[in-house]
Amino acid sequence: MDAATPSREALWNIEGSWLVYPCFLLVLVVAAYFFWRRYRLWKIGRPLERGDRPLERLKGAFVDALLQVTVVKERGVGIAHLGMYVGMAVMVVATASYAVQVDLGLDIAKGDYYLYVLALGTDIAGLAFCIAMVACIVRRAAGRNPSLETKPADIVVLAWLLVIGVTGFVVEGLRIVGTNDPWAAWSPIGNLFAPLFAGLSAAQVSTAHQVLWWFHMAIAFGILAYWMYSKLVHVLLVPATVYCRPLEPKGTLSYVDLEDEELEEFGVGKLEDFTWKDLLDAEACVRCGRCETVCPAHGSGKPLSPKDLMQALDAHLGERGPLVRAERRAEAAGEAFEPTEEQRAVLDKALVGDVVAPEALWSCTTCGACMEACPALLEHVPKVVGMRTYQVSMESAFPSEAKAAFRNLETNGNPWGLGWQSRMAWAEGLDVPTLADRPQAEYVYWPGCSGAYDARNRKVSRALVALLRHAGVDFAVIGPEEKCCGDAARRMGNEFLYYQLATENIETLNAYGAKKIIVQCPHCAQALERDYPQLGGRFEVVRHAQLLERLVAEGRLPGAERAGAQAAFERVTYHDSCYLGRYADVYDEPRAVVKACGAQVVEMERTREKSFCCGAGGGRMWLEEREGRRMNVLRAEQARDTGADAVATACPFCLSMLEDGLASQDDALPVRDIAELLSDALALSR
């Protein structure tokens, strides 16, 4: 090779490098054995189709697993993780390049590729890797984040990874001294180590280089072999969970066919009732604690940690999974499975009670914050709802308050238990048409149970009607035939009641030929848009926040400035509803409506996808908070801390919860729905 061409001898001073390949093969065997063992455990779960739309799945895996998009959302630790990940990737590319040159005879380690990638790029990547390792070790050792679970093995693995990085630089420094490398400046970090060995003889440099090179490789292969049995296995499992993520709209629950006569049980009553993907999720959890940090139940002192839930299921899989497999093998062979006393104790463990505490199960608001924050895109909420479904449907084990809500829904079609004939009382004096009167109306307006029965939210319904009429929107309501959408019943695990309510609503809507529905409750919107199609109800659902923003943008609602009106509040903080924000990705539209009212939007500490739940979701609107602090009070305090003149929201549950939270603190900060703010700004009569 031309001496003027930048290059280096790929394996200077190393003999017997062929031993690397048997070692690598052994690592692959160890990894394959691990996956085979774990795969067999995952397969005890129920079947689930997650192989459709492969290109879309590959794209998601590339973005979230390879590009680390979700990981870096948490700036500090995310950047450190990215440094470790990118550093490792670049070093793997460099190692593979030298292997290609040595074993395949392809002369590629030269020229600009050598200088910019194999020399400078690899050194920078190695430095980033080492810095990331130090940062991770310090972070865990400091123990400042209680949600970050650290085991001794975690520190050990990180320390050995750091050793691999540092010894790599030392080996590079020895090579530079031993070869008097003219291109040493392009390996700046390795070159820093070179002066340490300048006083050694050539033989000493050669010996030290050989010993340390093999030590470096031994540690690397040792870590690779142990990789599968440590937390580091998430590097392989997370891409799998991301690839197998649900592609349905957010919050869509699995369909339960109540008409299937072969189904003897509903929901998840034991480990093997979960799907194989649920069991994979449990194993893929990296214990990072992001889910726990954002969980409103955990943050308010409730006995729920999404991280602990996953870890409990993983531990249970490890002890119960092999026994279930053994039992199934014996059954297939026509033999009796006779567990030991210890094994019987494991099999007799109740999923809810012994593995998952009932108090934890019913603390969940299904807000989705855990799933939004999880870098592995694990599905926590469906697991909670699945277990609730079994508890309600098969065990009749649920909070006492839920019984009253279920009874009211069943007998009166609303959770308040008020008579169906009073559902239109909210519209008194407004002359609101029903579909019976105007079946040709473009939109069906769905006020929901809150908008129809709750005294406070009736005002929102009237404000929205005023706005729709001002904008010339052609609409009608169902009237007394409208029933609860069933969302709360379903999230609390009562699939039977949800089915009853949903099918009746679908039949009514289809009978009138309804196509487009205006919904002011995000929970209703979730059910109508994403749950009802499973039962044959397919409608175009328009959330009132989106509709109002569009009407303002089109000039059909002029806004305060164009209307010459003065804003009632100068500074307004907007609370993102979980089911409108995280579930439907509606963030900008309600803020645009607030701004159209002439107000300045000031943000709370936790906002948009990181919004703190009001505490009403998942049916918890009807349940008591007996442990810790009330979530609505915590959110009310966050709103008050902004110094805003008012709080805005676009969800009837949030409106009620925030008003109650502020009232409990004797705080007079007003709470308004965005429809009320806009109606007031336009001075509309309602």
Side-chain angles (χ1 to χ4, degrees), residues 638-650:
Q638 295 169 16
R640 185 179 60 207
D641 290 343
T642 64
D645 304 318
V647 183
T649 188

Side-chain angles (χ1 to χ4, degrees), residues 28-301:
L28 290 180
V29 171
V30 171
Y33 176 67
F34 166 83
F35 271 104
W36 173 242
R37 288 180 59 205
R38 306 314 295 182
Y39 173 78
R40 292 185 302 175
L41 292 184
W42 304 332
K43 291 296 288 183
I44 70 171
R46 292 186 295 105
L48 178 68
E49 174 56 48
R50 285 291 174 85
D52 59 319
R53 298 150 64 183
L55 292 180
E56 187 175 350
R57 295 186 178 281
L58 284 171
K59 179 183 177 182
F62 178 78
V63 171
D64 281 291
L66 296 182
L67 297 184
Q68 305 280 284
V69 169
T70 304
V71 171
V72 298
K73 286 181 179 180
E74 191 173 338
R75 296 299 181 193
V77 65
I79 296 300
H81 193 282
L82 184 64
M84 174 181 63
Y85 176 79
V86 173
M88 189 179 298
V90 172
M91 289 187 287
V92 168
V93 169
T95 302
S97 297
Y98 289 125
V100 166
Q101 176 153 317
V102 171
D103 299 309
L104 299 182
L106 300 179
D107 192 16
I108 62 173
K110 63 180 182 180
D112 288 345
Y113 180 67
Y114 171 71
L115 291 180
Y116 292 105
V117 178
L118 302 184
L120 182 61
T122 304
D123 259 37
I124 294 174
L127 178 63
F129 178 81
C130 291
I131 293 174
M133 289 300 100
V134 172
C136 290
I137 292 171
V138 170
R139 179 170 178 257
R140 290 181 175 275
R144 294 179 179 177
N145 182 1
S147 294
L148 178 63
E149 182 181 347
T150 299
K151 299 179 179 180
D154 298 335
I155 299 292
V156 172
V157 170
L158 291 172
W160 279 114
L161 287 173
L162 178 60
V163 170
I164 291 174
V166 173
T167 55
F169 284 125
V170 176
V171 168
E172 179 71 356
L174 287 165
R175 184 197 65 81
I176 289 172
V177 171
T179 61
N180 195 25
D181 187 359
W183 309 103
W186 288 88
S187 302
I189 312 303
N191 201 31
L192 288 176
F193 286 85
L196 299 175
F197 314 108
L200 300 180
S201 67
Q204 289 173 322
V205 170
S206 176
T207 301
H209 178 265
Q210 287 183 356
V211 171
L212 200 59
W213 190 92
W214 283 109
F215 176 74
H216 174 82
M217 295 303 296
I219 296 176
F221 281 113
I223 285 291
L224 285 174
Y226 178 64
W227 197 289
M228 307 300 130
Y229 302 89
S230 73
K231 182 183 176 181
L232 296 175
V233 73
H234 77 269
V235 174
L236 301 176
L237 295 185
V238 168
T241 61
V242 175
Y243 180 86
C244 298
R245 72 196 184 281
L247 298 182
E248 299 86 2
K250 289 183 181 179
T252 303
L253 297 175
S254 298
Y255 173 57
V256 179
D257 188 0
L258 298 179
E259 297 182 357
D260 186 352
E261 296 180 356
E262 294 183 3
L263 279 180
E264 297 179 355
E265 295 184 349
F266 301 96
V268 177
K270 51 187 180 298
L271 185 75
E272 53 269 33
D273 291 336
F274 285 116
T275 68
W276 65 263
K277 171 58 168 53
D278 290 323
L279 302 181
L280 171 61
D281 279 359
E283 187 128 37
C285 175
V286 301
R287 296 183 277 109
C288 67
R290 292 193 185 188
C291 58
E292 184 177 275
T293 300
V294 299
C295 176
H298 186 271
S300 60

Side-chain angles (χ1 to χ4, degrees), residues 31 51 71 115 121 137 157 168 303 343 379 403 451 483 536 623 674:
V71 171
L115 291 180
I137 292 171
V157 170
Q343 291 173 334
E379 302 170 65
K403 184 177 182 179
K483 296 184 181 296
L623 307 181
I674 59 172

Side-chain angles (χ1 to χ4, degrees), residues 391-589:
Q391 293 300 300
V392 172
S393 303
M394 308 306 299
E395 299 289 339
S396 295
F398 47 85
S400 57
E401 314 91 76
K403 184 177 182 179
F406 292 157
R407 183 178 60 251
N408 290 336
L409 286 167
E410 186 174 2
T411 57
N412 292 290
N414 67 86
W416 280 273
L418 300 175
W420 61 269
Q421 67 275 11
S422 62
R423 182 173 277 273
M424 284 295 293
W426 66 271
E428 185 176 351
L430 295 181
D431 194 26
V432 175
T434 65
L435 284 176
D437 302 321
R438 285 187 52 80
Q440 74 280 11
E442 181 182 4
Y443 289 97
V444 175
Y445 167 44
W446 185 282
C449 296
S450 292
Y453 290 107
D454 178 60
R456 176 64 184 86
N457 277 287
R458 283 178 173 180
K459 298 177 181 178
V460 178
S461 302
R462 296 178 71 88
L464 183 56
V465 165
L467 289 167
L468 295 177
R469 283 180 164 164
H470 190 78
V473 177
D474 181 22
F475 72 94
V477 299
I478 298 177
E481 296 174 88
E482 179 188 324
K483 296 184 181 296
C484 177
C485 67
D487 171 81
R490 195 179 199 196
R491 307 283 159 178
M492 284 195 287
N494 198 331
E495 279 283 342
F496 295 96
L497 183 53
Y498 160 73
Y499 178 83
Q500 174 188 330
L501 295 166
T503 52
E504 289 185 23
N505 282 326
I506 292 170
E507 289 175 4
T508 301
L509 289 164
N510 286 339
Y512 282 115
K515 301 297 182 184
K516 296 190 287 186
I517 307 175
I518 301 170
V519 184
Q520 71 191 51
C521 174
H523 298 264
C524 294
Q526 180 72 21
L528 291 166
E529 181 183 59
R530 301 178 179 181
D531 291 341
Y532 279 22
Q534 297 174 337
L535 300 174
R538 292 174 172 81
F539 312 102
E540 180 184 337
V541 175
V542 183
R543 293 159 179 81
H544 85 307
Q546 296 171 303
L547 179 62
L548 293 178
E549 187 275 336
R550 189 174 76 221
L551 294 175
V552 169
E554 294 173 353
R556 296 169 66 180
L557 292 174
E561 185 176 349
R562 288 178 56 193
Q566 187 169 353
F569 308 102
E570 293 184 4
R571 292 163 50 87
V572 174
T573 187
Y574 175 74
H575 164 75
D576 289 287
S577 159
C578 305
Y579 276 64
L580 184 63
R582 278 188 290 269
Y583 276 50
D585 294 317
V586 177
Y587 297 111
D588 296 327
E589 294 91 330

Side-chain angles (χ1 to χ4, degrees), residues 567-638:
F569 308 102
E570 293 184 4
R571 292 163 50 87
V572 174
T573 187
Y574 175 74
H575 164 75
D576 289 287
S577 159
C578 305
Y579 276 64
L580 184 63
R582 278 188 290 269
Y583 276 50
D585 294 317
V586 177
Y587 297 111
D588 296 327
E589 294 91 330
R591 287 173 170 80
V593 175
V594 174
K595 292 176 182 177
C597 299
Q600 174 191 355
V601 178
V602 293
E603 300 290 359
M604 298 185 224
E605 178 183 356
R606 291 184 56 173
T607 187
R608 302 180 78 88
E609 70 273 5
K610 295 183 179 179
S611 180
F612 191 90
C613 180
C614 73
R620 287 216 54 89
M621 180 77 174
W622 320 110
L623 307 181
E624 293 294 332
E625 287 190 60
R626 295 186 173 87
E627 298 177 288
R629 296 191 65 191
R630 294 181 64 84
M631 291 178 237
N632 62 333
V633 172
L634 290 174
R635 188 55 166 171
E637 291 175 353
Q638 295 169 16

